[in-house]
PDB file of all heavy atoms in Angstrom:
ATOM      1  N   TRP A 107    -114.177-112.732-120.351  1.00  0.00           N
ATOM      2  CA  TRP A 107    -114.222-112.256-121.739  1.00  0.00           C
ATOM      3  C   TRP A 107    -115.686-111.822-122.175  1.00  0.00           C
ATOM      4  O   TRP A 107    -115.814-110.767-122.847  1.00  0.00           O
ATOM      5  CB  TRP A 107    -113.818-113.455-122.667  1.00  0.00           C
ATOM      6  CG  TRP A 107    -112.435-113.540-122.975  1.00  0.00           C
ATOM      7  CD1 TRP A 107    -111.554-114.599-122.652  1.00  0.00           C
ATOM      8  CD2 TRP A 107    -111.624-112.709-123.764  1.00  0.00           C
ATOM      9  NE1 TRP A 107    -110.287-114.352-123.098  1.00  0.00           N
ATOM     10  CE2 TRP A 107    -110.284-113.196-123.785  1.00  0.00           C
ATOM     11  CE3 TRP A 107    -111.796-111.387-124.306  1.00  0.00           C
ATOM     12  CZ2 TRP A 107    -109.210-112.547-124.375  1.00  0.00           C
ATOM     13  CZ3 TRP A 107    -110.791-110.750-124.982  1.00  0.00           C
ATOM     14  CH2 TRP A 107    -109.544-111.362-125.034  1.00  0.00           C
ATOM     15  N   THR A 108    -116.704-112.541-121.731  1.00  0.00           N
ATOM     16  CA  THR A 108    -118.047-112.212-122.137  1.00  0.00           C
ATOM     17  C   THR A 108    -118.529-110.911-121.499  1.00  0.00           C
ATOM     18  O   THR A 108    -119.311-110.146-122.007  1.00  0.00           O
ATOM     19  CB  THR A 108    -119.011-113.396-121.729  1.00  0.00           C
ATOM     20  OG1 THR A 108    -118.547-114.586-122.249  1.00  0.00           O
ATOM     21  CG2 THR A 108    -120.391-113.165-122.318  1.00  0.00           C
ATOM     22  N   SER A 109    -117.981-110.592-120.373  1.00  0.00           N
ATOM     23  CA  SER A 109    -118.305-109.373-119.619  1.00  0.00           C
ATOM     24  C   SER A 109    -117.811-108.160-120.305  1.00  0.00           C
ATOM     25  O   SER A 109    -118.272-106.973-120.061  1.00  0.00           O
ATOM     26  CB  SER A 109    -117.889-109.340-118.160  1.00  0.00           C
ATOM     27  OG  SER A 109    -116.419-109.176-118.159  1.00  0.00           O
ATOM     28  N   ARG A 110    -116.913-108.341-121.330  1.00  0.00           N
ATOM     29  CA  ARG A 110    -116.342-107.142-121.993  1.00  0.00           C
ATOM     30  C   ARG A 110    -117.232-106.537-123.138  1.00  0.00           C
ATOM     31  O   ARG A 110    -116.937-105.511-123.614  1.00  0.00           O
ATOM     32  CB  ARG A 110    -114.950-107.544-122.569  1.00  0.00           C
ATOM     33  CG  ARG A 110    -113.999-108.106-121.561  1.00  0.00           C
ATOM     34  CD  ARG A 110    -113.578-107.011-120.622  1.00  0.00           C
ATOM     35  NE  ARG A 110    -112.679-105.985-121.222  1.00  0.00           N
ATOM     36  CZ  ARG A 110    -112.190-105.000-120.602  1.00  0.00           C
ATOM     37  NH1 ARG A 110    -112.541-104.783-119.305  1.00  0.00           N
ATOM     38  NH2 ARG A 110    -111.368-104.134-121.112  1.00  0.00           N
ATOM     39  N   PHE A 111    -118.226-107.365-123.472  1.00  0.00           N
ATOM     40  CA  PHE A 111    -119.264-106.784-124.452  1.00  0.00           C
ATOM     41  C   PHE A 111    -119.982-105.701-123.870  1.00  0.00           C
ATOM     42  O   PHE A 111    -120.309-105.591-122.620  1.00  0.00           O
ATOM     43  CB  PHE A 111    -120.250-107.938-124.886  1.00  0.00           C
ATOM     44  CG  PHE A 111    -119.651-108.953-125.780  1.00  0.00           C
ATOM     45  CD1 PHE A 111    -119.187-110.195-125.267  1.00  0.00           C
ATOM     46  CD2 PHE A 111    -119.505-108.759-127.165  1.00  0.00           C
ATOM     47  CE1 PHE A 111    -118.704-111.139-126.076  1.00  0.00           C
ATOM     48  CE2 PHE A 111    -119.004-109.622-127.938  1.00  0.00           C
ATOM     49  CZ  PHE A 111    -118.551-110.904-127.433  1.00  0.00           C
ATOM     50  N   ARG A 112    -120.491-104.749-124.714  1.00  0.00           N
ATOM     51  CA  ARG A 112    -121.355-103.692-124.315  1.00  0.00           C
ATOM     52  C   ARG A 112    -122.550-103.643-125.291  1.00  0.00           C
ATOM     53  O   ARG A 112    -122.319-103.604-126.464  1.00  0.00           O
ATOM     54  CB  ARG A 112    -120.641-102.308-124.326  1.00  0.00           C
ATOM     55  CG  ARG A 112    -119.566-102.212-123.219  1.00  0.00           C
ATOM     56  CD  ARG A 112    -120.263-102.258-121.742  1.00  0.00           C
ATOM     57  NE  ARG A 112    -119.225-102.157-120.744  1.00  0.00           N
ATOM     58  CZ  ARG A 112    -118.595-103.152-120.205  1.00  0.00           C
ATOM     59  NH1 ARG A 112    -118.952-104.394-120.620  1.00  0.00           N
ATOM     60  NH2 ARG A 112    -117.768-102.989-119.187  1.00  0.00           N
ATOM     61  N   PRO A 113    -123.761-103.697-124.780  1.00  0.00           N
ATOM     62  CA  PRO A 113    -124.131-103.808-123.380  1.00  0.00           C
ATOM     63  C   PRO A 113    -123.698-105.115-122.735  1.00  0.00           C
ATOM     64  O   PRO A 113    -123.552-106.093-123.448  1.00  0.00           O
ATOM     65  CB  PRO A 113    -125.579-103.595-123.289  1.00  0.00           C
ATOM     66  CG  PRO A 113    -126.071-104.036-124.688  1.00  0.00           C
ATOM     67  CD  PRO A 113    -124.946-103.703-125.615  1.00  0.00           C
ATOM     68  N   GLN A 114    -123.396-105.114-121.509  1.00  0.00           N
ATOM     69  CA  GLN A 114    -122.866-106.316-120.746  1.00  0.00           C
ATOM     70  C   GLN A 114    -123.966-107.322-120.610  1.00  0.00           C
ATOM     71  O   GLN A 114    -125.030-107.018-120.059  1.00  0.00           O
ATOM     72  CB  GLN A 114    -122.350-105.730-119.417  1.00  0.00           C
ATOM     73  CG  GLN A 114    -121.478-106.779-118.670  1.00  0.00           C
ATOM     74  CD  GLN A 114    -122.358-107.566-117.676  1.00  0.00           C
ATOM     75  OE1 GLN A 114    -122.753-108.602-117.938  1.00  0.00           O
ATOM     76  NE2 GLN A 114    -122.651-106.913-116.533  1.00  0.00           N
ATOM     77  N   PRO A 115    -123.793-108.499-121.186  1.00  0.00           N
ATOM     78  CA  PRO A 115    -124.914-109.520-121.276  1.00  0.00           C
ATOM     79  C   PRO A 115    -125.408-110.089-119.981  1.00  0.00           C
ATOM     80  O   PRO A 115    -126.516-110.604-120.003  1.00  0.00           O
ATOM     81  CB  PRO A 115    -124.414-110.536-122.201  1.00  0.00           C
ATOM     82  CG  PRO A 115    -122.873-110.406-122.118  1.00  0.00           C
ATOM     83  CD  PRO A 115    -122.625-109.014-121.800  1.00  0.00           C
ATOM     84  N   PHE A 116    -124.615-110.241-118.975  1.00  0.00           N
ATOM     85  CA  PHE A 116    -125.037-110.839-117.638  1.00  0.00           C
ATOM     86  C   PHE A 116    -126.029-109.988-116.919  1.00  0.00           C
ATOM     87  O   PHE A 116    -126.855-110.540-116.099  1.00  0.00           O
ATOM     88  CB  PHE A 116    -123.843-111.152-116.825  1.00  0.00           C
ATOM     89  CG  PHE A 116    -122.916-112.170-117.504  1.00  0.00           C
ATOM     90  CD1 PHE A 116    -121.642-111.784-117.842  1.00  0.00           C
ATOM     91  CD2 PHE A 116    -123.332-113.547-117.676  1.00  0.00           C
ATOM     92  CE1 PHE A 116    -120.731-112.754-118.458  1.00  0.00           C
ATOM     93  CE2 PHE A 116    -122.456-114.398-118.306  1.00  0.00           C
ATOM     94  CZ  PHE A 116    -121.143-114.059-118.681  1.00  0.00           C
ATOM     95  N   HIS A 117    -125.988-108.648-117.142  1.00  0.00           N
ATOM     96  CA  HIS A 117    -126.748-107.772-116.323  1.00  0.00           C
ATOM     97  C   HIS A 117    -128.260-108.018-116.383  1.00  0.00           C
ATOM     98  O   HIS A 117    -128.843-108.083-117.467  1.00  0.00           O
ATOM     99  CB  HIS A 117    -126.469-106.313-116.840  1.00  0.00           C
ATOM    100  CG  HIS A 117    -127.082-105.289-115.945  1.00  0.00           C
ATOM    101  ND1 HIS A 117    -126.728-105.122-114.635  1.00  0.00           N
ATOM    102  CD2 HIS A 117    -128.019-104.269-116.239  1.00  0.00           C
ATOM    103  CE1 HIS A 117    -127.466-104.094-114.085  1.00  0.00           C
ATOM    104  NE2 HIS A 117    -128.234-103.597-115.119  1.00  0.00           N
ATOM    105  N   GLN A 118    -128.852-108.260-115.207  1.00  0.00           N
ATOM    106  CA  GLN A 118    -130.330-108.384-115.082  1.00  0.00           C
ATOM    107  C   GLN A 118    -130.764-109.782-115.601  1.00  0.00           C
ATOM    108  O   GLN A 118    -132.037-109.896-115.633  1.00  0.00           O
ATOM    109  CB  GLN A 118    -131.103-107.247-115.646  1.00  0.00           C
ATOM    110  CG  GLN A 118    -130.854-105.913-114.815  1.00  0.00           C
ATOM    111  CD  GLN A 118    -131.847-104.778-115.304  1.00  0.00           C
ATOM    112  OE1 GLN A 118    -132.424-104.853-116.329  1.00  0.00           O
ATOM    113  NE2 GLN A 118    -131.764-103.759-114.544  1.00  0.00           N
ATOM    114  N   HIS A 119    -129.945-110.682-115.949  1.00  0.00           N
ATOM    115  CA  HIS A 119    -130.384-112.093-116.327  1.00  0.00           C
ATOM    116  C   HIS A 119    -130.393-112.886-115.061  1.00  0.00           C
ATOM    117  O   HIS A 119    -129.557-112.773-114.198  1.00  0.00           O
ATOM    118  CB  HIS A 119    -129.440-112.651-117.383  1.00  0.00           C
ATOM    119  CG  HIS A 119    -129.886-112.318-118.813  1.00  0.00           C
ATOM    120  ND1 HIS A 119    -129.838-111.032-119.376  1.00  0.00           N
ATOM    121  CD2 HIS A 119    -130.495-113.097-119.772  1.00  0.00           C
ATOM    122  CE1 HIS A 119    -130.288-111.109-120.568  1.00  0.00           C
ATOM    123  NE2 HIS A 119    -130.658-112.324-120.864  1.00  0.00           N
ATOM    124  N   HIS A 120    -131.430-113.796-115.002  1.00  0.00           N
ATOM    125  CA  HIS A 120    -131.548-114.728-113.919  1.00  0.00           C
ATOM    126  C   HIS A 120    -130.621-115.936-114.130  1.00  0.00           C
ATOM    127  O   HIS A 120    -130.483-116.402-115.264  1.00  0.00           O
ATOM    128  CB  HIS A 120    -132.970-115.207-113.827  1.00  0.00           C
ATOM    129  CG  HIS A 120    -133.951-114.160-113.360  1.00  0.00           C
ATOM    130  ND1 HIS A 120    -134.100-113.847-112.021  1.00  0.00           N
ATOM    131  CD2 HIS A 120    -134.810-113.273-114.047  1.00  0.00           C
ATOM    132  CE1 HIS A 120    -134.992-112.772-111.880  1.00  0.00           C
ATOM    133  NE2 HIS A 120    -135.429-112.433-113.077  1.00  0.00           N
ATOM    134  N   ALA A 121    -130.081-116.508-113.015  1.00  0.00           N
ATOM    135  CA  ALA A 121    -129.224-117.610-113.098  1.00  0.00           C
ATOM    136  C   ALA A 121    -129.460-118.501-111.904  1.00  0.00           C
ATOM    137  O   ALA A 121    -129.837-118.033-110.755  1.00  0.00           O
ATOM    138  CB  ALA A 121    -127.711-117.140-113.111  1.00  0.00           C
ATOM    139  N   LEU A 122    -129.358-119.779-112.221  1.00  0.00           N
ATOM    140  CA  LEU A 122    -129.464-120.791-111.110  1.00  0.00           C
ATOM    141  C   LEU A 122    -128.157-121.588-111.118  1.00  0.00           C
ATOM    142  O   LEU A 122    -127.741-122.069-112.253  1.00  0.00           O
ATOM    143  CB  LEU A 122    -130.620-121.760-111.282  1.00  0.00           C
ATOM    144  CG  LEU A 122    -130.733-122.929-110.333  1.00  0.00           C
ATOM    145  CD1 LEU A 122    -130.880-122.523-108.914  1.00  0.00           C
ATOM    146  CD2 LEU A 122    -131.827-123.884-110.821  1.00  0.00           C
ATOM    147  N   LEU A 123    -127.490-121.724-110.001  1.00  0.00           N
ATOM    148  CA  LEU A 123    -126.187-122.434-109.985  1.00  0.00           C
ATOM    149  C   LEU A 123    -126.401-123.809-109.271  1.00  0.00           C
ATOM    150  O   LEU A 123    -127.088-123.900-108.238  1.00  0.00           O
ATOM    151  CB  LEU A 123    -125.173-121.612-109.200  1.00  0.00           C
ATOM    152  CG  LEU A 123    -124.937-120.226-109.733  1.00  0.00           C
ATOM    153  CD1 LEU A 123    -123.860-119.511-108.855  1.00  0.00           C
ATOM    154  CD2 LEU A 123    -124.528-120.206-111.150  1.00  0.00           C
ATOM    155  N   MET A 124    -125.806-124.796-109.815  1.00  0.00           N
ATOM    156  CA  MET A 124    -125.830-126.190-109.416  1.00  0.00           C
ATOM    157  C   MET A 124    -124.424-126.858-109.377  1.00  0.00           C
ATOM    158  O   MET A 124    -123.512-126.302-110.081  1.00  0.00           O
ATOM    159  CB  MET A 124    -126.737-127.107-110.194  1.00  0.00           C
ATOM    160  CG  MET A 124    -128.121-126.490-110.485  1.00  0.00           C
ATOM    161  SD  MET A 124    -129.215-127.681-111.312  1.00  0.00           S
ATOM    162  CE  MET A 124    -128.217-127.971-112.825  1.00  0.00           C
ATOM    163  N   SER A 125    -124.287-127.889-108.585  1.00  0.00           N
ATOM    164  CA  SER A 125    -122.984-128.669-108.599  1.00  0.00           C
ATOM    165  C   SER A 125    -123.241-130.070-108.313  1.00  0.00           C
ATOM    166  O   SER A 125    -124.219-130.422-107.633  1.00  0.00           O
ATOM    167  CB  SER A 125    -121.955-127.991-107.688  1.00  0.00           C
ATOM    168  OG  SER A 125    -122.505-128.086-106.257  1.00  0.00           O
ATOM    169  N   ALA A 126    -122.323-130.943-108.648  1.00  0.00           N
ATOM    170  CA  ALA A 126    -122.326-132.303-108.290  1.00  0.00           C
ATOM    171  C   ALA A 126    -120.866-132.763-108.067  1.00  0.00           C
ATOM    172  O   ALA A 126    -119.999-132.339-108.831  1.00  0.00           O
ATOM    173  CB  ALA A 126    -122.867-133.143-109.473  1.00  0.00           C
ATOM    174  N   SER A 127    -120.746-133.522-107.006  1.00  0.00           N
ATOM    175  CA  SER A 127    -119.393-133.864-106.638  1.00  0.00           C
ATOM    176  C   SER A 127    -119.395-135.260-105.851  1.00  0.00           C
ATOM    177  O   SER A 127    -120.389-135.433-105.095  1.00  0.00           O
ATOM    178  CB  SER A 127    -118.690-132.822-105.807  1.00  0.00           C
ATOM    179  OG  SER A 127    -117.472-133.293-105.229  1.00  0.00           O
ATOM    180  N   PRO A 128    -118.360-136.044-105.903  1.00  0.00           N
ATOM    181  CA  PRO A 128    -118.392-137.222-105.056  1.00  0.00           C
ATOM    182  C   PRO A 128    -118.140-136.881-103.568  1.00  0.00           C
ATOM    183  O   PRO A 128    -118.395-137.773-102.678  1.00  0.00           O
ATOM    184  CB  PRO A 128    -117.061-138.010-105.586  1.00  0.00           C
ATOM    185  CG  PRO A 128    -116.798-137.464-106.877  1.00  0.00           C
ATOM    186  CD  PRO A 128    -117.290-136.081-106.886  1.00  0.00           C
ATOM    187  N   SER A 129    -117.812-135.686-103.327  1.00  0.00           N
ATOM    188  CA  SER A 129    -117.589-135.219-101.883  1.00  0.00           C
ATOM    189  C   SER A 129    -118.833-135.096-101.128  1.00  0.00           C
ATOM    190  O   SER A 129    -119.940-135.082-101.690  1.00  0.00           O
ATOM    191  CB  SER A 129    -116.784-133.862-101.900  1.00  0.00           C
ATOM    192  OG  SER A 129    -117.699-132.837-102.281  1.00  0.00           O
ATOM    193  N   MET A 130    -118.683-135.035 -99.813  1.00  0.00           N
ATOM    194  CA  MET A 130    -119.885-134.807 -98.987  1.00  0.00           C
ATOM    195  C   MET A 130    -120.437-133.432 -99.030  1.00  0.00           C
ATOM    196  O   MET A 130    -121.633-133.156 -98.710  1.00  0.00           O
ATOM    197  CB  MET A 130    -119.581-135.178 -97.467  1.00  0.00           C
ATOM    198  CG  MET A 130    -119.138-136.514 -97.192  1.00  0.00           C
ATOM    199  SD  MET A 130    -120.551-137.699 -97.656  1.00  0.00           S
ATOM    200  CE  MET A 130    -121.752-137.221 -96.405  1.00  0.00           C
ATOM    201  N   ALA A 131    -119.680-132.462 -99.547  1.00  0.00           N
ATOM    202  CA  ALA A 131    -120.239-131.073 -99.682  1.00  0.00           C
ATOM    203  C   ALA A 131    -120.803-130.899-101.083  1.00  0.00           C
ATOM    204  O   ALA A 131    -121.544-129.807-101.310  1.00  0.00           O
ATOM    205  CB  ALA A 131    -119.117-130.130 -99.541  1.00  0.00           C
ATOM    206  N   GLY A 132    -120.647-131.739-101.926  1.00  0.00           N
ATOM    207  CA  GLY A 132    -121.305-131.708-103.298  1.00  0.00           C
ATOM    208  C   GLY A 132    -120.787-130.543-104.194  1.00  0.00           C
ATOM    209  O   GLY A 132    -121.518-130.176-105.085  1.00  0.00           O
ATOM    210  N   GLY A 133    -119.650-130.030-103.837  1.00  0.00           N
ATOM    211  CA  GLY A 133    -119.128-128.981-104.735  1.00  0.00           C
ATOM    212  C   GLY A 133    -119.713-127.562-104.393  1.00  0.00           C
ATOM    213  O   GLY A 133    -119.557-126.612-105.120  1.00  0.00           O
ATOM    214  N   ASN A 134    -120.335-127.499-103.161  1.00  0.00           N
ATOM    215  CA  ASN A 134    -121.042-126.249-102.834  1.00  0.00           C
ATOM    216  C   ASN A 134    -120.042-125.075-102.643  1.00  0.00           C
ATOM    217  O   ASN A 134    -120.474-123.897-102.925  1.00  0.00           O
ATOM    218  CB  ASN A 134    -121.785-126.497-101.556  1.00  0.00           C
ATOM    219  CG  ASN A 134    -122.669-125.313-101.204  1.00  0.00           C
ATOM    220  OD1 ASN A 134    -122.409-124.594-100.248  1.00  0.00           O
ATOM    221  ND2 ASN A 134    -123.761-125.175-101.859  1.00  0.00           N
ATOM    222  N   ARG A 135    -118.860-125.228-102.209  1.00  0.00           N
ATOM    223  CA  ARG A 135    -117.976-124.102-102.051  1.00  0.00           C
ATOM    224  C   ARG A 135    -117.687-123.380-103.327  1.00  0.00           C
ATOM    225  O   ARG A 135    -117.435-122.259-103.391  1.00  0.00           O
ATOM    226  CB  ARG A 135    -116.641-124.582-101.292  1.00  0.00           C
ATOM    227  CG  ARG A 135    -116.916-125.104 -99.860  1.00  0.00           C
ATOM    228  CD  ARG A 135    -115.664-125.702 -99.288  1.00  0.00           C
ATOM    229  NE  ARG A 135    -115.360-126.977-100.088  1.00  0.00           N
ATOM    230  CZ  ARG A 135    -114.334-127.768 -99.802  1.00  0.00           C
ATOM    231  NH1 ARG A 135    -113.492-127.498 -98.756  1.00  0.00           N
ATOM    232  NH2 ARG A 135    -114.140-128.829-100.488  1.00  0.00           N
ATOM    233  N   GLY A 136    -117.551-124.223-104.367  1.00  0.00           N
ATOM    234  CA  GLY A 136    -117.340-123.680-105.684  1.00  0.00           C
ATOM    235  C   GLY A 136    -118.440-122.788-106.085  1.00  0.00           C
ATOM    236  O   GLY A 136    -118.154-121.749-106.815  1.00  0.00           O
ATOM    237  N   LEU A 137    -119.639-123.140-105.825  1.00  0.00           N
ATOM    238  CA  LEU A 137    -120.796-122.317-106.160  1.00  0.00           C
ATOM    239  C   LEU A 137    -120.820-120.912-105.435  1.00  0.00           C
ATOM    240  O   LEU A 137    -121.143-119.885-106.015  1.00  0.00           O
ATOM    241  CB  LEU A 137    -122.130-123.005-105.841  1.00  0.00           C
ATOM    242  CG  LEU A 137    -122.336-124.258-106.622  1.00  0.00           C
ATOM    243  CD1 LEU A 137    -123.746-124.776-106.398  1.00  0.00           C
ATOM    244  CD2 LEU A 137    -122.081-124.136-108.135  1.00  0.00           C
TER     245      LEU A 137
END
Side-chain angles (χ1 to χ4, degrees):
W107 271 117
T108 308
S109 71
R110 303 295 287 178
F111 286 100
R112 293 295 180 269
Q114 192 265 99
F116 296 112
H117 186 60
Q118 295 189 343
H119 268 70
H120 290 278
L122 173 65
L123 304 182
M124 311 186 302
S125 62
S127 171
S129 74
M130 293 302 294
N134 187 255
R135 291 171 298 182
L137 296 188

